[in-house]
Amino acid sequence: TTTEGEAAETTTTEAMEETTTTEAAETTTTAAAGGDFLACQVTDTGGVDDKGFNQTAFAGLQRAESELGAEISVLESQAETDYETNINSFIDQGCDVIVTVGFLLGQATQDAANANPEVPFSIVDFAYDEGVIEANNVLGQVFNTQEAAFLAGYLAAATTESGIVGTFGGINIPPVTVFMDGFVQGVDYHNAEKGTSVTVLGWDYAAQDGLFTGNFESLDDGRSFAQNLLDEGADIVMPVAGPVGLGSGALAGEVGADTLKIIGVDTDQFVADTQNQGVYLSSVLKVMDLSVFQAVEAVYNGTFEGGLIVGTLENDGVGLADFHDLAGEVS
């Protein structure tokens, strides 16, 4: 058993093997037998092909399929009302492990886990307080994305020509705002260290309030929010809104990277958004594919324990993507 601080000193694999647990829990599953093993994922809205959050998590299941021979299945949530229905459908199907993706699935996952203590769950972007999960059959996956976003903010401040950068989110929830916090802090640190006066639009760190689209689906919102920030002088924008950010990338592709650069989130958007690769300065990486695979693998091997895994810069659970085509513009 480790504390969150200790987890930062382990490798990602070690963090999975030595997760923080709510108590000294016994292993809650046994190794898969007979070659029949079904790993299931319930997505948040945005879908498994969102070129970001849900898709990166699903890549962990695909790895389990190729490396472990697991059968995999996914149900896409079109709205929050689908969460409970989709989870219960997978319980009825006899899934050996159910991975739920997103902070907003926290309550539905908690209810299902407590009602079905024999079923192992893992949830991306949610950590439960001690004792909430009665049978300790949920492994939370959380990420110190503010660490990598800090680097992105510093990068933006060092690269901007207008002296103004911007960010916006999908919904004002911690897994979104933690990116925005780190981004602002990174810009502030560059200002303090280098004597610059770069301004961040879209997020007030002290007030914990800023620009939000209210969804994770609308590419039109991604375009319009980025356009508004561009109109206010920002030449680098970090959208923290899943597929919404693809709309920002499309706008940048039209006006050109000399006018607007984008910092992606969750996955390397240069690789994901092949139509607008040249506009991505970098991306703040959340390595969910690895943590999802390790959660599934633990159930498969019979070593699963509930609790918490924390992805950090030190254990490669978060990071900053390559600068790719724009490397020449980074000092």
Side-chain angles (χ1 to χ4, degrees):
T1 302
T2 65
T3 66
E4 183 170 324
E6 291 169 336
E9 298 175 0
T10 67
T11 65
T12 303
T13 302
E14 290 169 341
M16 177 59 69
E17 292 173 348
E18 302 179 48
T19 52
T20 303
T21 55
T22 54
E23 55 187 64
E26 297 291 331
T27 299
T28 58
T29 61
T30 56
D36 295 323
F37 184 87
L38 178 59
C40 303
Q41 175 180 314
V42 176
T43 75
D44 201 347
T45 57
V48 78
D49 58 351
D50 63 359
K51 301 185 186 300
F53 186 74
N54 292 297
Q55 186 169 334
T56 302
F58 186 61
L61 256 68
Q62 292 175 310
R63 180 177 171 185
E65 181 181 40
S66 62
E67 295 188 17
L68 306 177
E71 294 182 45
I72 63 174
S73 184
V74 61
L75 287 174
E76 297 179 304
S77 302
Q78 304 303 317
E80 293 185 27
T81 51
D82 293 335
Y83 299 157
E84 180 180 356
T85 301
N86 287 341
I87 293 171
N88 287 335
S89 176
F90 275 148
I91 291 170
D92 292 341
Q93 291 178 42
C95 295
D96 293 283
V97 58
I98 299 173
V99 179
T100 56
V101 184
F103 180 87
L104 297 177
L105 279 90
Q107 187 62 53
T109 303
Q110 173 186 323
D111 293 343
N114 285 337
N116 300 273
E118 75 288 354
V119 178
F121 291 82
S122 187
I123 181 169
V124 177
D125 267 351
F126 203 95
Y128 295 99
D129 292 336
E130 183 174 348
V132 169
I133 304 299
E134 297 164 4
N136 201 43
N137 57 323
V138 180
L139 176 65
Q141 303 175 37
V142 296
F143 304 86
N144 287 352
T145 40
Q146 73 274 14
E147 295 178 1
F150 180 98
L151 302 181
Y154 189 93
L155 169 68
T159 308
T160 178
E161 294 183 0
S162 69
I164 302 173
V165 300
T167 185
F168 67 88
I171 298 175
N172 192 339
I173 54 176
V176 170
T177 60
V178 71
F179 281 90
M180 302 162 84
D181 285 345
F183 187 73
V184 170
Q185 290 172 323
V187 170
D188 288 347
Y189 185 74
H190 186 277
N191 287 341
E193 292 293 308
K194 301 296 184 181
T196 52
S197 54
V198 176
T199 300
V200 182
L201 304 177
W203 183 239
D204 185 329
Y205 176 77
Q208 289 290 291
D209 194 20
L211 295 177
F212 295 93
T213 62
N215 70 86
F216 294 104
E217 299 90 38
S218 173
L219 271 64
D220 289 341
D221 284 348
R223 175 184 290 272
S224 63
F225 273 62
Q227 182 67 64
N228 290 340
L229 289 167
L230 177 62
D231 291 343
E232 293 184 56
D235 61 353
I236 299 174
V237 171
M238 184 181 74
V240 192
V244 172
L246 297 174
S248 303
L251 173 67
E254 292 174 9
V255 301
D258 289 342
T259 300
L260 178 63
K261 297 176 179 65
I262 303 297
I263 294 177
V265 298
D266 294 334
T267 191
D268 188 344
Q269 291 297 321
F270 177 90
V271 176
D273 187 6
T274 55
Q275 293 183 328
N276 301 292
Q277 287 182 318
V279 307
Y280 289 99
L281 180 59
S282 185
S283 297
V284 180
L285 303 177
K286 184 185 291 188
V287 192
M288 296 171 286
D289 51 340
L290 177 59
S291 57
V292 167
F293 170 75
Q294 290 175 333
V296 173
E297 184 181 40
V299 178
Y300 183 87
N301 290 335
T303 58
F304 176 86
E305 292 182 359
L308 186 66
I309 179 173
V310 183
T312 68
L313 280 177
E314 190 166 1
N315 65 27
D316 296 324
V318 299
L320 199 63
D322 192 87
F323 307 137
H324 297 294
D325 290 353
L326 297 178
E329 299 193 28
V330 181
S331 67

